[in-house]
Amino acid sequence: MSYLVNGRSFTEEPAPGQCLRTFLRSLGHYGVKKGCDAGDCGACTVWLDGDPVHSCITPAFRADGHEVTTIEGLGAPGDLHPVQREFRDAPGFQCGFCTAGMIMTSATFTDAQRADLPRALKGNLCRCTGYRAIEDAVRGVVGVAGAAPGKAVGTSVGAPAADDVVTGRAEFTMDTRLDGMLHLKVLHSPHAHARIVSVDKSAALAVPGVRRVYTWQDVPRRRFTTAIHTDHLVDPDDTFILDDTIRFVGQRVVAVLADTVGAAEEGCRKVVVEYEVLPAVFDAEAAMAEGAPQLHDTDDPFALDPVHNVLLEIHSHIGDVDTGFAEADVIHEGTYSSPRVQHAHLETHGSIAWLENGRLNVRTSSQSPSIAKVKLAHLFALRPDQLRVFCKRVGGGFGGKQEVISEDLAALAALDTGRPVCFEYTREEEFTTASPRHPMTLTVKLGAKADGTLTAFQVRNVSNTGAYGNHGGETLYAGGAAVMIYRCPHKKYDAYSVYTNTVPSGALRGYGMTQPAFAVESAMDELARALHLDPLELRRRNIVRPGEPLVALHDGPDDVSFTEDSLAKCIDRVGEALARTAGQASPGPEWLVGTGVASSLHETAPPTEHISEAWVTLGDDLVYELAVGTVEFGEGTSTAHVQIAAGQLGTTPSRIRLVQSDTDRTGFDTGAFASAGLFVSGNAVLRAADAVRDRILEYAAAYTGVHPVLCSLGEEDVFCGDRRVPLAELVASARTRGIRFTAARKAYGSPRSVTSNTQGFRIAVHRVTGEIRILHSVQAADAGAIINPAQVRGQVEGGVAQGIGFALTENHHIDADGVMVNPNLRNYRIPTYADIPRTDVLLVASTDSVGPLRSKGMAECCINPVAPALANALHDATGVRFRSLPLTPERIYSRLIEKQSVSTGSDS
């Protein structure tokens, strides 16, 4: 066979049955990504004789005698293909994992295809951008701008890694190959609840290439939690690396280590496990009932009430709700539910571990290498100096990688064998074993005077944490913020985090707020209609105002700064935008049109301790090295950190060299989640840059004999009075005296600020099919002072897109035996380009933040009001209230037919 890849001939032959994707990656073409292995996502797109194909479903032998082009062959930094340049300059990416495939597809478009992007891009998925940025890239819209020295903040500068991303040279976790690397695969439980009676390894060990078979008896018997927080005590240590008790379908039972992935998979098939099947329970309310199957032992110190499967309860009140309801003229009560939702980041979880000079190295796809290191040190009794954990670029996270779920087994096998070990999740494993959003059922009861003034606010929240606690407690507390948004003298919040025999739930964008926001904002809409008030007006009359306490779960003091009326501004801006399109024509007589709104408040850092340390050093080459532990996975913190540093140091982003997410090369960082990558780490960067600037100016003042207040730092010079001293001269002088211009500074997640978001939709609903078309989407957001306008807009657009998927298409279907029946992207159905409208992003300026330069993170909160705004628009259009998600066409159709039958008196 003969293979021509990017103009170079290869004599290597693929293995029998090997797909073109894995073959190309084995040749070192890592720009060809794995997202699905089913032809669903397009991340693996390459050209075969100039035509785009999904290489994961193309047999490698079909490329024999043909020309293959990968993203690396399309162009290189300094010599970009026009489409690569367009994706860089739009910018048409966030995490960048889908970008190579998007470019390889888009670079073949004809004019007709560019005119019909919903069809032309149907084979390529993006989970980050919301697709607007990709559309701009395809159409040649430029969004990136340059920055003058010291003027980077407030400008849409490009990402530091932009050229590498668009050329496929940016390294992601699995984009490497180590000599002698072994591969680990896992045998998953077919049962929802069982006890392992015996494991027969013999047939598995007889498979050629299999090196080890690990069971629960072969791993350290140390409890831990997979959830990542600085304070590990907020999460339950209820998990083992491998266990002899199985609590959900998909739980890992046995790990097999082999020379190849195929051998490891065959080894898993050969393992014989005898189970004692136990009764299972899947519903949270049923799990709390007397006599329900018990998941954890009664002597487990980490469960509050293990007899009733309760991990954690919250019972709080302000005032007396009975009094409040007695004072009400109108009372509304409703129960609202939301399902599991998967992150569906296109890069699956994965880790590579190896020993080097006696130290364990773990290269992983994580949102927090610092805390992953802490957990691994605990599990394997290692000293901190015996362990390094680091990340390359991470292909999406959204909270899903705020867990330690691949690092432990890779580390175990590397420590055991002394050889490099790779453990990479499949797409099916992402759906069946990684941690989705918590299903929640909330009962909301509201009382109000006739003028709309709230008198009582009561919420009962039952959260299904799945088989293990992970983030079960913290998301339950976070949900209280949905109660914070409205002032009311009488509030009550009762909440339960409940164990069930389902996949453990975890952190997902919105973190415990998205589900309560759906319930509370839907209930407020229903209350408004019962009061015959405009829903926006009801919100205006009741939202918490500056100077008033942000009362959610208690009325004690807190560390939250809230001094501007940004939420009212967001509501007004959305109301005005919807009014401007009120006359928009219906798609036709079969369509019903309605509008809906919803709002949310979100604290800018988690209440648990969040820490970040940044280091800044001026090198001999006059480039500033910025070292910070925060991971880049599309949220844009790398760009923002470089902008902040460049602004404080009077230079341009090109003069900042970024080192990040490596426990050997950066300080401690809690992690990039809850928007803390900007809010907390950004403050650390700001302080470290300020400290280095001050040291340079102090030295320059002494060097010139000019008072420091008369000195200022430029890009290549320091100005002291009327004298200009080259920065190179100062660095050389300082070096002779053993002085380095370097500083480290820490920042903490306190005090905190509040972000505000209001989402509006105008939709059309087909009265026969139940299809929803979004005619207008608008979100107003308070992001404080804007560091990078293009990035803020991109985060909002991406959050709205995920919220639309959460509301309309996505569902984690589990059958009566606890088995997920749609564990793939095609059937789970994350939104495609055709599903997502352009969203008008209206940025509300505010200065009340205590974040860096008064900025606020926007990646987390923008998703929260999306689902309730859609549900409210659906009710406005149809007169039918949907209190559970997702709002699929078949459900809408059934309810519309039911309503029609009732109104006509028909029995059909």
Side-chain angles (χ1 to χ4, degrees), residues 419-443:
R419 292 178 59 178
V421 173
C422 173
F423 178 27
E424 183 178 14
Y425 273 43
T426 65
R427 179 55 57 186
E428 181 173 337
E429 285 173 325
E430 287 291 324
F431 281 110
T432 58
T433 71
S435 49
R437 190 188 297 283
H438 292 74
M440 290 185 183
T441 299
L442 296 102
T443 299

mmCIF file of all heavy atoms in Angstrom, residues 419-443:
data_model
loop_
_atom_site.group_PDB
_atom_site.id
_atom_site.type_symbol
_atom_site.label_atom_id
_atom_site.label_comp_id
_atom_site.label_asym_id
_atom_site.label_seq_id
_atom_site.Cartn_x
_atom_site.Cartn_y
_atom_site.Cartn_z
ATOM 1 N N ARG A 419 5.733 1.790 33.399
ATOM 2 C CA ARG A 419 5.640 2.160 31.988
ATOM 3 C C ARG A 419 4.576 3.238 31.793
ATOM 4 O O ARG A 419 3.652 3.372 32.611
ATOM 5 C CB ARG A 419 5.307 0.927 31.140
ATOM 6 C CG ARG A 419 6.434 -0.081 31.087
ATOM 7 C CD ARG A 419 6.055 -1.309 30.276
ATOM 8 N NE ARG A 419 5.694 -0.991 28.898
ATOM 9 C CZ ARG A 419 5.356 -1.914 27.984
ATOM 10 N NH1 ARG A 419 5.354 -3.206 28.328
ATOM 11 N NH2 ARG A 419 5.036 -1.564 26.767
ATOM 12 N N PRO A 420 4.674 4.015 30.715
ATOM 13 C CA PRO A 420 3.636 5.010 30.439
ATOM 14 C C PRO A 420 2.296 4.329 30.198
ATOM 15 O O PRO A 420 2.231 3.252 29.581
ATOM 16 C CB PRO A 420 4.133 5.701 29.171
ATOM 17 C CG PRO A 420 5.590 5.411 29.104
ATOM 18 C CD PRO A 420 5.768 4.058 29.727
ATOM 19 N N VAL A 421 1.232 4.960 30.659
ATOM 20 C CA VAL A 421 -0.114 4.397 30.550
ATOM 21 C C VAL A 421 -1.060 5.474 30.041
ATOM 22 O O VAL A 421 -1.052 6.610 30.539
ATOM 23 C CB VAL A 421 -0.616 3.866 31.905
ATOM 24 C CG1 VAL A 421 -2.078 3.449 31.819
ATOM 25 C CG2 VAL A 421 0.264 2.711 32.372
ATOM 26 N N CYS A 422 -1.871 5.098 29.077
ATOM 27 C CA CYS A 422 -2.881 5.999 28.513
ATOM 28 C C CYS A 422 -4.267 5.450 28.826
ATOM 29 O O CYS A 422 -4.543 4.265 28.589
ATOM 30 C CB CYS A 422 -2.693 6.112 26.998
ATOM 31 S SG CYS A 422 -3.984 7.038 26.153
ATOM 32 N N PHE A 423 -5.135 6.292 29.347
ATOM 33 C CA PHE A 423 -6.523 5.927 29.620
ATOM 34 C C PHE A 423 -7.407 7.020 29.024
ATOM 35 O O PHE A 423 -7.434 8.146 29.514
ATOM 36 C CB PHE A 423 -6.762 5.797 31.118
ATOM 37 C CG PHE A 423 -8.189 5.459 31.514
ATOM 38 C CD1 PHE A 423 -9.033 4.756 30.668
ATOM 39 C CD2 PHE A 423 -8.678 5.840 32.753
ATOM 40 C CE1 PHE A 423 -10.334 4.451 31.036
ATOM 41 C CE2 PHE A 423 -9.976 5.533 33.142
ATOM 42 C CZ PHE A 423 -10.803 4.841 32.275
ATOM 43 N N GLU A 424 -8.099 6.682 27.942
ATOM 44 C CA GLU A 424 -8.934 7.649 27.224
ATOM 45 C C GLU A 424 -10.366 7.145 27.159
ATOM 46 O O GLU A 424 -10.624 6.025 26.737
ATOM 47 C CB GLU A 424 -8.391 7.859 25.804
ATOM 48 C CG GLU A 424 -9.149 8.894 25.004
ATOM 49 C CD GLU A 424 -8.547 9.116 23.624
ATOM 50 O OE1 GLU A 424 -7.720 8.287 23.189
ATOM 51 O OE2 GLU A 424 -8.888 10.118 22.982
ATOM 52 N N TYR A 425 -11.302 7.993 27.577
ATOM 53 C CA TYR A 425 -12.713 7.634 27.544
ATOM 54 C C TYR A 425 -13.223 7.559 26.107
ATOM 55 O O TYR A 425 -12.802 8.323 25.227
ATOM 56 C CB TYR A 425 -13.543 8.684 28.275
ATOM 57 C CG TYR A 425 -13.700 8.478 29.766
ATOM 58 C CD1 TYR A 425 -12.627 8.092 30.560
ATOM 59 C CD2 TYR A 425 -14.925 8.693 30.390
ATOM 60 C CE1 TYR A 425 -12.767 7.917 31.928
ATOM 61 C CE2 TYR A 425 -15.087 8.526 31.750
ATOM 62 C CZ TYR A 425 -14.006 8.133 32.516
ATOM 63 O OH TYR A 425 -14.156 7.961 33.863
ATOM 64 N N THR A 426 -14.162 6.652 25.882
ATOM 65 C CA THR A 426 -14.928 6.665 24.648
ATOM 66 C C THR A 426 -16.096 7.633 24.810
ATOM 67 O O THR A 426 -16.422 8.070 25.919
ATOM 68 C CB THR A 426 -15.482 5.275 24.319
ATOM 69 O OG1 THR A 426 -16.438 4.902 25.336
ATOM 70 C CG2 THR A 426 -14.373 4.240 24.261
ATOM 71 N N ARG A 427 -16.754 7.951 23.701
ATOM 72 C CA ARG A 427 -17.933 8.814 23.803
ATOM 73 C C ARG A 427 -19.031 8.138 24.608
ATOM 74 O O ARG A 427 -19.715 8.783 25.422
ATOM 75 C CB ARG A 427 -18.442 9.185 22.399
ATOM 76 C CG ARG A 427 -19.682 10.075 22.388
ATOM 77 C CD ARG A 427 -19.512 11.360 23.176
ATOM 78 N NE ARG A 427 -18.388 12.152 22.707
ATOM 79 C CZ ARG A 427 -17.964 13.260 23.299
ATOM 80 N NH1 ARG A 427 -18.536 13.682 24.416
ATOM 81 N NH2 ARG A 427 -16.931 13.919 22.820
ATOM 82 N N GLU A 428 -19.204 6.837 24.435
ATOM 83 C CA GLU A 428 -20.219 6.134 25.210
ATOM 84 C C GLU A 428 -19.911 6.195 26.701
ATOM 85 O O GLU A 428 -20.812 6.373 27.528
ATOM 86 C CB GLU A 428 -20.331 4.680 24.753
ATOM 87 C CG GLU A 428 -21.404 3.890 25.508
ATOM 88 C CD GLU A 428 -21.639 2.511 24.951
ATOM 89 O OE1 GLU A 428 -21.337 2.274 23.757
ATOM 90 O OE2 GLU A 428 -22.142 1.655 25.703
ATOM 91 N N GLU A 429 -18.644 6.068 27.072
ATOM 92 C CA GLU A 429 -18.281 6.157 28.486
ATOM 93 C C GLU A 429 -18.566 7.548 29.043
ATOM 94 O O GLU A 429 -18.917 7.695 30.222
ATOM 95 C CB GLU A 429 -16.806 5.789 28.660
ATOM 96 C CG GLU A 429 -16.549 4.303 28.535
ATOM 97 C CD GLU A 429 -15.071 3.957 28.528
ATOM 98 O OE1 GLU A 429 -14.273 4.738 27.975
ATOM 99 O OE2 GLU A 429 -14.707 2.894 29.069
ATOM 100 N N GLU A 430 -18.414 8.581 28.220
ATOM 101 C CA GLU A 430 -18.772 9.927 28.675
ATOM 102 C C GLU A 430 -20.236 9.973 29.114
ATOM 103 O O GLU A 430 -20.579 10.555 30.143
ATOM 104 C CB GLU A 430 -18.544 10.952 27.569
ATOM 105 C CG GLU A 430 -17.100 11.274 27.297
ATOM 106 C CD GLU A 430 -16.455 12.041 28.438
ATOM 107 O OE1 GLU A 430 -17.123 12.886 29.067
ATOM 108 O OE2 GLU A 430 -15.271 11.792 28.704
ATOM 109 N N PHE A 431 -21.089 9.361 28.328
ATOM 110 C CA PHE A 431 -22.520 9.402 28.628
ATOM 111 C C PHE A 431 -22.905 8.487 29.787
ATOM 112 O O PHE A 431 -23.801 8.808 30.568
ATOM 113 C CB PHE A 431 -23.329 9.016 27.389
ATOM 114 C CG PHE A 431 -23.482 10.127 26.389
ATOM 115 C CD1 PHE A 431 -22.835 10.072 25.165
ATOM 116 C CD2 PHE A 431 -24.257 11.237 26.674
ATOM 117 C CE1 PHE A 431 -22.976 11.096 24.236
ATOM 118 C CE2 PHE A 431 -24.397 12.272 25.758
ATOM 119 C CZ PHE A 431 -23.754 12.198 24.529
ATOM 120 N N THR A 432 -22.252 7.356 29.899
ATOM 121 C CA THR A 432 -22.714 6.352 30.868
ATOM 122 C C THR A 432 -21.959 6.379 32.184
ATOM 123 O O THR A 432 -22.458 5.831 33.181
ATOM 124 C CB THR A 432 -22.602 4.939 30.262
ATOM 125 O OG1 THR A 432 -21.233 4.697 29.874
ATOM 126 C CG2 THR A 432 -23.509 4.792 29.052
ATOM 127 N N THR A 433 -20.766 7.014 32.227
ATOM 128 C CA THR A 433 -19.988 6.970 33.467
ATOM 129 C C THR A 433 -19.508 8.327 33.955
ATOM 130 O O THR A 433 -19.153 8.460 35.120
ATOM 131 C CB THR A 433 -18.755 6.061 33.300
ATOM 132 O OG1 THR A 433 -17.798 6.680 32.432
ATOM 133 C CG2 THR A 433 -19.131 4.721 32.718
ATOM 134 N N ALA A 434 -19.433 9.342 33.079
ATOM 135 C CA ALA A 434 -19.038 10.679 33.526
ATOM 136 C C ALA A 434 -20.239 11.376 34.147
ATOM 137 O O ALA A 434 -21.378 10.917 34.032
ATOM 138 C CB ALA A 434 -18.464 11.478 32.360
ATOM 139 N N SER A 435 -19.997 12.522 34.798
ATOM 140 C CA SER A 435 -21.005 13.092 35.697
ATOM 141 C C SER A 435 -21.864 14.155 35.021
ATOM 142 O O SER A 435 -21.399 15.267 34.766
ATOM 143 C CB SER A 435 -20.306 13.705 36.916
ATOM 144 O OG SER A 435 -19.239 14.540 36.485
ATOM 145 N N PRO A 436 -23.129 13.874 34.747
ATOM 146 C CA PRO A 436 -24.026 14.843 34.105
ATOM 147 C C PRO A 436 -24.594 15.838 35.110
ATOM 148 O O PRO A 436 -24.331 15.763 36.317
ATOM 149 C CB PRO A 436 -25.133 13.946 33.546
ATOM 150 C CG PRO A 436 -25.203 12.815 34.535
ATOM 151 C CD PRO A 436 -23.784 12.587 34.985
ATOM 152 N N ARG A 437 -25.400 16.772 34.616
ATOM 153 C CA ARG A 437 -26.099 17.706 35.488
ATOM 154 C C ARG A 437 -27.099 16.955 36.363
ATOM 155 O O ARG A 437 -27.716 15.980 35.924
ATOM 156 C CB ARG A 437 -26.850 18.753 34.650
ATOM 157 C CG ARG A 437 -27.400 19.900 35.488
ATOM 158 C CD ARG A 437 -28.303 20.818 34.673
ATOM 159 N NE ARG A 437 -27.650 21.512 33.579
ATOM 160 C CZ ARG A 437 -26.854 22.570 33.704
ATOM 161 N NH1 ARG A 437 -26.576 23.037 34.908
ATOM 162 N NH2 ARG A 437 -26.332 23.143 32.639
ATOM 163 N N HIS A 438 -27.272 17.429 37.602
ATOM 164 C CA HIS A 438 -28.204 16.785 38.531
ATOM 165 C C HIS A 438 -29.651 16.937 38.049
ATOM 166 O O HIS A 438 -30.100 18.062 37.803
ATOM 167 C CB HIS A 438 -28.121 17.436 39.918
ATOM 168 C CG HIS A 438 -26.833 17.201 40.632
ATOM 169 N ND1 HIS A 438 -25.654 17.834 40.287
ATOM 170 C CD2 HIS A 438 -26.533 16.405 41.690
ATOM 171 C CE1 HIS A 438 -24.690 17.440 41.103
ATOM 172 N NE2 HIS A 438 -25.184 16.580 41.952
ATOM 173 N N PRO A 439 -30.377 15.847 37.933
ATOM 174 C CA PRO A 439 -31.826 15.987 37.754
ATOM 175 C C PRO A 439 -32.413 16.567 39.046
ATOM 176 O O PRO A 439 -32.055 16.122 40.145
ATOM 177 C CB PRO A 439 -32.318 14.558 37.534
ATOM 178 C CG PRO A 439 -31.097 13.747 37.264
ATOM 179 C CD PRO A 439 -29.967 14.435 37.961
ATOM 180 N N MET A 440 -33.273 17.538 38.913
ATOM 181 C CA MET A 440 -33.893 18.147 40.083
ATOM 182 C C MET A 440 -35.395 18.290 39.877
ATOM 183 O O MET A 440 -35.855 18.551 38.760
ATOM 184 C CB MET A 440 -33.299 19.525 40.378
ATOM 185 C CG MET A 440 -31.870 19.522 40.879
ATOM 186 S SD MET A 440 -31.317 21.191 41.327
ATOM 187 C CE MET A 440 -29.602 20.853 41.773
ATOM 188 N N THR A 441 -36.123 18.107 40.956
ATOM 189 C CA THR A 441 -37.549 18.382 40.969
ATOM 190 C C THR A 441 -37.797 19.422 42.056
ATOM 191 O O THR A 441 -37.446 19.210 43.222
ATOM 192 C CB THR A 441 -38.361 17.118 41.255
ATOM 193 O OG1 THR A 441 -38.110 16.160 40.221
ATOM 194 C CG2 THR A 441 -39.854 17.424 41.308
ATOM 195 N N LEU A 442 -38.373 20.552 41.653
ATOM 196 C CA LEU A 442 -38.580 21.662 42.577
ATOM 197 C C LEU A 442 -40.050 22.052 42.628
ATOM 198 O O LEU A 442 -40.687 22.219 41.583
ATOM 199 C CB LEU A 442 -37.763 22.890 42.165
ATOM 200 C CG LEU A 442 -36.243 22.723 42.206
ATOM 201 C CD1 LEU A 442 -35.703 22.516 40.803
ATOM 202 C CD2 LEU A 442 -35.590 23.935 42.868
ATOM 203 N N THR A 443 -40.551 22.171 43.821
ATOM 204 C CA THR A 443 -41.890 22.716 44.032
ATOM 205 C C THR A 443 -41.730 24.149 44.513
ATOM 206 O O THR A 443 -41.068 24.400 45.531
ATOM 207 C CB THR A 443 -42.677 21.894 45.047
ATOM 208 O OG1 THR A 443 -42.822 20.555 44.538
ATOM 209 C CG2 THR A 443 -44.057 22.483 45.281
#
